[in-house]
Amino acid sequence: MQNRNMDIYIKQIAEEDYPAFAKISLRAYPTAYKASKTALQDIIKGLKDHESAYDMTYIGAYIDDQLVGGMRYYTFEMNFHGTMISAAGIGSVAVDLLHKKQHVAQKLIDFADQRSKDLAIPLMTLYPFRPSFYKSFGYGYGSPLHHYKLAPANFHDFKVHEGLSYLDEVDFAPIESCYMTYVNNHHGMMHKSTNDLRRIEKLEDCHLVVYKEDGQITGYMIFKQTGITEMNFLRQTIFISEMIYNTTEALKAFSTFLHRQKDQVEYIELHTFDNRFYQFLDNVEYTPDTQVLPLISHRMHDTCLGMMYKVLDPAELIEWVEDRVNENLVFNITSPGHKAFSHESGNNQDIETFEINPGSTSPIEIDMDLAVFSSWIMGAVRLESLYFKGLVQCTQADKLAHLDRSFYLDAPECHNTF
């Protein structure tokens, strides 16, 4: 598939262009790579190592025969409110410094959208380098991620003495089985990508601890230990890159394990999409920098925003949740770049309209732009809140709270990296 637009055209990057893609990536993200003489060769090797991945393709932007930008295009299977659907993602979007402001990134993103539509993929995902840039393309915000720094004593000691063990020889089957149980029970979660599986396989300075119940892995935790400073290697920190638990017993076991590191570990870092995780802790104070904020509130964690979503086929995705409501709803979705909600603006071609439960009740019209719709259908925000903030217009606004309760859309979480 090839898309020409003026002097820029898009196609899959061939192996002979890997060095050029590596140079563009290194210049675009200099702090993401270790500064060394071998950095460029390391990137090229990584490109070659990952080119066999069935779920990832390198896509390039060319002027004549010169590569001027590139990205990675991913395909995933994702839990969408209890149904597994196809989703796509883009990552590592990089533009040559000499070709900035020539709409290279826009051409790459538009190509990814069209490629997904051609593959009948209704949803795009990405981690933004600048959220406002992608919001202008119709990407909506996902769920906040909460980053904790906790003293080990903040975790409760549940006196769990058995069930935990190291998994030094990585056997993917039980790990994947444990992970897939989590995926099947949590909206937004995706099958592990080829690259994520390889990262686990290549663990060198990390530890993999599993919890077993009746011989089955019901939770696992990947963490790394480092010294506080080079001059005090006896005091340590633990950074947890992944913690999956499918049972209460697994979570209790991990809590007990972390609590018992208090004699040598200064603090533990972890991240979670669970906005009520603090309820599980014996103490919520952020370590090592405890702060008392306005209204005598204790700092618990840093909140950040990563994954963004763009719905390519709103009508298809709403079909998976429309049976939750009985009302006749008419959605008017404004495409990116079109700011007016009014149907009298003369730009009707920029508005996609679709209806659910026609004729059941008096129609309720809901107007919003694509980025807002994407956030809402993914469960990251409620209709009533959007209306109050002026991001949604509705002919029967008093019904929005009821619709929120009826839809009851869980907030998404995703542990994939790309």
Side-chain angles (χ1 to χ4, degrees):
M1 178 178 175
Q2 186 166 307
N3 176 34
R4 291 185 178 271
N5 192 319
M6 297 180 65
D7 56 346
I8 299 175
Y9 66 95
I10 312 297
K11 68 175 184 177
Q12 185 169 338
I13 298 175
E15 185 173 346
E16 59 264 27
D17 285 331
Y18 285 178
F21 187 26
K23 288 179 181 179
I24 290 173
S25 299
L26 187 59
R27 290 169 183 152
Y29 303 106
T31 59
Y33 302 99
K34 294 180 180 179
S36 69
K37 294 181 179 179
T38 62
L40 185 63
Q41 293 305 315
D42 290 342
I43 298 173
I44 295 172
K45 182 179 183 302
L47 294 172
K48 292 180 178 179
D49 288 346
H50 297 152
E51 67 180 348
S52 61
Y54 72 93
D55 50 3
M56 190 269 292
T57 307
Y58 303 125
I59 303 295
Y62 290 79
I63 296 178
D64 296 328
D65 293 324
Q66 180 187 359
L67 183 70
V68 296
M71 67 180 178
R72 304 184 189 209
Y73 177 89
Y74 299 85
T75 55
F76 305 102
E77 292 298 313
M78 188 186 82
N79 181 332
F80 179 77
H81 298 299
T83 300
M84 297 306 297
I85 68 168
S86 296
I90 56 178
S92 305
V93 178
V95 177
D96 185 86
L97 300 182
L98 296 177
H99 294 276
K100 289 289 189 73
K101 305 302 179 182
Q102 295 180 10
H103 306 294
V104 175
Q106 178 181 339
K107 300 296 191 301
L108 288 166
I109 295 167
D110 288 344
F111 177 89
D113 285 357
Q114 189 58 53
R115 182 187 179 103
S116 297
K117 291 176 182 177
D118 293 343
L119 294 172
I121 295 174
L123 182 69
M124 294 292 299
T125 64
L126 56 79
Y127 290 102
F129 67 88
R130 193 172 77 246
S132 61
F133 175 79
Y134 287 104
K135 203 168 190 296
S136 69
F137 283 90
Y139 281 85
Y141 300 134
S143 296
L145 184 67
H146 309 294
H147 183 82
Y148 285 84
K149 277 188 178 182
L150 299 164
N154 289 15
F155 292 88
H156 189 72
D157 184 359
F158 288 97
K159 312 297 182 185
V160 178
H161 299 288
E162 298 179 350
L164 286 173
S165 61
Y166 293 108
L167 195 65
D168 295 321
E169 296 296 328
V170 175
D171 181 359
F172 283 118
I175 292 294
E176 279 198 272
S177 177
C178 175
Y179 186 82
M180 283 309 302
T181 298
Y182 194 89
V183 169
N184 292 333
N185 290 324
H186 293 82
H187 161 62
M189 289 293 295
M190 303 174 181
H191 292 187
K192 275 198 178 297
S193 67
T194 302
N195 286 348
D196 278 340
L197 289 173
R198 286 173 175 165
R199 287 189 186 98
I200 296 177
E201 185 179 25
K202 294 180 179 180
L203 290 178
E204 294 180 356
D205 56 350
C206 294
H207 306 288
L208 177 54
V209 171
V210 299
Y211 181 72
K212 292 183 179 181
E213 299 174 55
D214 298 324
Q216 182 179 1
I217 295 177
T218 59
Y220 68 87
M221 180 170 59
I222 300 173
F223 66 93
K224 178 180 180 179
Q225 292 172 272
T226 58
I228 292 287
T229 66
E230 292 183 3
M231 299 302 295
N232 188 357
F233 61 89
L234 297 177
R235 298 300 297 170
Q236 301 173 5
T237 67
I238 288 179
F239 175 78
I240 300 173
S241 58
E242 189 171 0
M243 184 167 65
I244 296 294
Y245 45 88
N246 293 316
T247 66
T248 302
E249 288 70 24
L251 178 56
K252 287 181 177 180
F254 293 147
S255 180
T256 300
F257 170 81
L258 295 171
H259 175 89
R260 293 181 179 178
Q261 310 311 311
K262 61 183 180 180
D263 62 329
Q264 196 168 347
V265 172
E266 196 78 17
Y267 59 86
I268 294 162
E269 290 187 68
L270 64 87
H271 52 270
T272 177
F273 288 98
D274 182 358
N275 62 3
R276 295 291 183 267
F277 185 78
Y278 62 89
Q279 295 281 1
F280 175 73
L281 302 168
D282 284 348
N283 189 358
V284 300
E285 289 184 315
Y286 193 93
T287 304
D289 184 19
T290 59
Q291 295 181 18
V292 178
L293 301 174
L295 299 179
I296 317 178
S297 301
H298 297 272
R299 180 187 183 191
M300 297 190 303
H301 51 67
D302 292 323
T303 302
C304 40
L305 193 65
M307 180 75 76
M308 296 181 74
Y309 302 89
K310 179 180 182 178
V311 175
L312 299 177
D313 192 337
E316 177 183 341
L317 288 191
I318 201 72
E319 285 182 2
W320 295 110
V321 295
E322 66 179 359
D323 60 350
R324 302 183 182 196
V325 298
N326 298 317
E327 287 77 10
N328 177 197
L329 304 181
V330 178
F331 290 90
N332 302 304
I333 310 301
T334 312
S335 62
H338 182 70
K339 302 300 183 183
F341 281 119
S342 173
H343 290 230
E344 299 177 358
S345 64
N347 291 318
N348 288 349
Q349 69 274 14
D350 293 321
I351 299 177
E352 178 181 355
T353 297
F354 60 93
E355 186 174 10
I356 64 174
N357 301 323
S360 59
T361 59
S362 176
I364 302 172
E365 292 209 28
I366 303 174
D367 299 357
M368 63 182 91
D369 69 27
L370 182 59
V372 170
F373 177 85
S374 299
S375 291
W376 171 71
I377 195 66
M378 287 303 298
V381 67
R382 300 288 181 258
L383 288 171
E384 188 179 39
S385 175
L386 289 168
Y387 177 81
F388 185 78
K389 294 176 174 64
L391 299 174
V392 159
Q393 289 189 359
C394 182
T395 56
Q396 300 181 50
D398 59 317
K399 301 288 183 66
L400 292 178
H402 167 73
L403 291 175
D404 283 331
R405 289 191 294 271
S406 298
F407 274 114
Y408 194 72
L409 301 175
D410 288 331
E413 61 178 283
C414 180
H415 295 187
N416 287 47
T417 57
F418 58 91

